[in-house]
Amino acid sequence: IRGVSLGPFFEEWLVYWDGIRSPATPDMIGQLCIVGLPNGKVLVKKLQQSRTEGLFHLLSQTEEPVLDQEILWAARVTNLTPR
């Protein structure tokens, strides 16, 4: 993890995930996921369903939500460990 959107304690931790899905599936809503965005960024965020079909809100601990975002792929985080 690079950045503090999950909180400063998680800076430089390792993220493990399993089962990349494209598109994100309903069971990922409300879960911490790693997501790939159309601009090439890969983020760790909690997913929330947008009112617009096919789009999601991306939530973090310390930053404003990213609203109505297209996600190319997503995977549920299975573990976080310090480096």
Side-chain angles (χ1 to χ4, degrees):
I1 297 173
R2 293 185 196 127
V4 294
S5 70
L6 293 179
F9 294 124
F10 294 103
E11 174 96 40
E12 299 297 322
W13 279 41
L14 298 174
V15 178
Y16 298 89
W17 67 89
D18 210 11
I20 291 176
R21 300 184 194 155
S22 180
T25 54
D27 63 309
M28 295 176 156
I29 302 301
Q31 301 298 314
L32 189 62
C33 294
I34 185 162
V35 298
L37 305 181
N39 64 5
K41 288 185 179 183
V42 176
L43 305 174
V44 179
K45 301 288 184 183
K46 184 176 179 181
L47 292 185
Q48 185 179 63
Q49 186 68 54
S50 169
R51 290 183 181 183
T52 305
E53 188 175 337
L55 300 182
F56 299 87
H57 301 320
L58 307 178
L59 310 178
S60 71
Q61 186 71 20
T62 62
E63 298 174 350
E64 292 295 316
V66 179
L67 303 175
D68 298 319
Q69 184 63 56
E70 178 184 359
I71 295 174
L72 296 180
W73 57 267
R76 287 179 64 173
V77 170
T78 58
N79 197 10
L80 297 165
T81 60
R83 194 173 258 210

